[in-house]
Amino acid sequence: ILRERCGVPHTVVDTEPDLAPGVSLWPLDPGTGAIRLQPAGLPEGVTRDELSVLPANRDSSDYQTVTMPGLWSGHELFTDLAIPGSQHQFAEVSDWLVVSYGAGIEVWDIGTDPASPVLIDQRDGWTPPFGPGHWAVFPPAGEMDTFLQSVEVIEEPDRLLIAIAGLRSAGFVVWVFDKLTGSLDQVYQDPWNVDANDLSMVRDPNGKAYAFVTNTGTQGNDGGIWVYDVTTAADTALCVDVNGSHSCGVFVGEMADLPKSRYVSALVVGEEIYVAASDGLQTSGLLTFEIWEVEDPENPATSPGGSSTLKYSGLGDHVYSPQLFTFDGSHFVALVEDVGANPNPDQMRIHQIGHCLDADGCSDLGSALATETIKNSFPSDQYLDLSFSLGLPFLHYGMQTTGLFGDGFERLWELEELPDSFAADTLPELTDGGGTYTDPCHDQTVGYFGEHYEGNDFGVRRFRPRHAVFAGRYLYRAAMSILDVHHRRSESTTQIFADGFESGTCQSWSAGCP
């Protein structure tokens, strides 16, 4: 497909299946199209006293600065997003997108027009003048301004159950979104007991929703994986567990004998719940990687007193963001392992784990079906997201680092051929094979997602591309201060003709240099 930029034509070769250029949910000013230049992190012409009245359409991809918008910028620093059913092969595509950012959550309607989501409701934790202070408890402003880390959603006929993991005194939070009225209500918070980096929520075979929440142990407890009854929280009025009381009846216990943990993924297989946990860059109470079976989430402690049974424990290095998933009846785990000198995690692997879920568990994950090299980027956190597009599995890799140059730090792989094995670094990749090119404006190599944002020389790699999940043909992505959507156009290989045009689907445009 021939594209023209700065008067110089260049070719971007499509992959199969393909992503169209991104459609930003935060467009440029429609009146002027102006790019905001502000090295200090504030939008042009806006003072700190005016933060509460920032324009609704603001896009930090327009910032030309080595730092992302900070605490005083007034920008949502997007941290995670969730679409109900996106992790399940045969689930119906949901009409709802839930996004967490540093101080709050947003619910978007993606059913009416998936390419143009509509913001339905938002709840912010900052107290005035920087926000309305909707939360029962929220951390005071400080140097670390990214408090909310992870969001998960389960959809019911008339409502969404939203679970959030947060750092410091944000803790674990449950919100309910009423689909009929389009409104959010907070129903539970455990703000002083759990310092949470990640969570995973599932519905057990009896229909109740449970959240498995990582606890880093920084709040004076032993850490591990804490389990909460989200259905009970959703069916009652707002209740806040004060100073470790756990009197709300929502906290049900600590899973197994895990030490401090940082990442978690839960999967329902038949009548059982399986939970994978890992440590990331934890330096004490080393966990590496474990898989547990939880027969009864109301009694998650280690058997014989509890219902949790260890199925696997191993891997000698730090492990990031394990993702348990099922595809065509087989069970897998994808993870990132630090196989070199800390803190340089450099290998994404996918293992088939059906043998580990048997009665006796396993002592070895077996050979990896796929191995992909990850650039050494010194991130404090790395993330994998498994989601399905029209029944096919895709795996997105993101991370926490800001200010990266070059391409290849954000990745999106297509996993359709599992459980076949792939040679190292050959997993079909949409981001690398289809969209890396040299920008003739600046002679910079630009990653696929970055080229849409003409006001940012180096694309969204500057701003921490953390998470992305599919709903149907649309990929929704939270890259810290950028929230956008990309369209997977076709499921067949795109033929590129010699002149760079494909009959009937050619895309070309001209754009001046920023």
Side-chain angles (χ1 to χ4, degrees), residues 10 33 56 106 238 262 316 366 372 404:
H10 61 281
E106 299 174 346
L238 173 62
R262 194 172 183 86
E372 293 289 328
L404 300 175

Side-chain angles (χ1 to χ4, degrees), residues 8 81 141 143-144 181 193 198 205 223 256 418 424 432 453 471 509:
V8 180
L81 75 173
E143 290 297 320
M144 178 180 283
T181 64
N193 307 298
D198 194 15
L418 290 178
D432 186 37
Y453 297 100
W509 67 88

Side-chain angles (χ1 to χ4, degrees), residues 127-145:
T127 56
F130 303 110
H134 287 142
W135 295 58
V137 177
F138 203 81
E143 290 297 320
M144 178 180 283
D145 57 338

Side-chain angles (χ1 to χ4, degrees), residues 254 256-257 295-296 298-309:
E254 183 178 351
D257 294 325
E295 293 184 4
D296 179 11
E298 289 288 338
N299 184 19
T302 305
S303 61
S307 70
S308 295
T309 304

Side-chain angles (χ1 to χ4, degrees), residues 127-353:
T127 56
F130 303 110
H134 287 142
W135 295 58
V137 177
F138 203 81
E143 290 297 320
M144 178 180 283
D145 57 338
T146 304
F147 298 104
L148 305 184
Q149 295 292 304
S150 180
V151 62
E152 291 277 338
V153 183
I154 284 181
E155 185 167 10
E156 296 184 341
D158 295 327
R159 65 182 183 177
L160 304 179
L161 308 183
I162 303 171
I164 300 174
L167 301 177
R168 299 167 72 179
S169 56
F172 174 69
V173 194
V174 178
W175 288 77
V176 173
F177 176 75
D178 189 317
K179 294 193 288 185
L180 300 179
T181 64
S183 61
L184 279 160
D185 289 298
Q186 185 180 359
V187 293
Y188 175 76
Q189 188 167 6
D190 187 358
W192 292 288
N193 307 298
V194 55
D195 201 2
N197 187 75
D198 194 15
L199 67 86
S200 186
M201 186 163 57
V202 296
R203 191 186 301 278
D204 78 346
N206 296 319
K208 294 190 71 173
Y210 291 90
F212 295 84
V213 183
T214 64
N215 191 354
T216 60
T218 57
Q219 299 292 79
N221 49 56
D222 294 332
I225 303 293
W226 286 22
V227 185
Y228 294 84
D229 180 348
V230 177
T231 297
T232 294
D235 290 337
T236 57
L238 173 62
C239 186
V240 178
D241 273 327
V242 179
N243 297 328
S245 63
H246 287 150
S247 59
C248 297
V250 176
F251 174 76
V252 296
E254 183 178 351
M255 195 196 84
D257 294 325
L258 297 176
K260 302 172 183 180
S261 59
R262 194 172 183 86
Y263 300 96
V264 64
S265 176
L267 176 71
V268 176
V269 179
E271 299 293 315
E272 308 299 340
I273 299 174
Y274 294 92
V275 178
S278 64
D279 64 310
L281 283 177
Q282 294 290 343
T283 57
S284 59
L286 189 64
L287 171 63
T288 64
F289 175 69
E290 296 179 354
I291 300 175
W292 290 78
E293 178 184 343
V294 183
E295 293 184 4
D296 179 11
E298 289 288 338
N299 184 19
T302 305
S303 61
S307 70
S308 295
T309 304
L310 182 64
K311 293 295 181 178
Y312 171 80
S313 179
L315 302 183
D317 301 289
H318 294 291
V319 174
Y320 299 77
S321 196
Q323 292 285 290
L324 297 174
F325 65 100
T326 298
F327 175 53
D328 283 351
S330 296
H331 310 301
F332 305 90
V333 64
L335 51 85
V336 176
E337 184 177 9
D338 181 352
V339 296
N342 290 338
N344 296 330
D346 60 2
Q347 195 174 88
M348 188 284 293
R349 298 203 307 272
I350 299 176
H351 296 268
Q352 192 166 5
I353 58 167

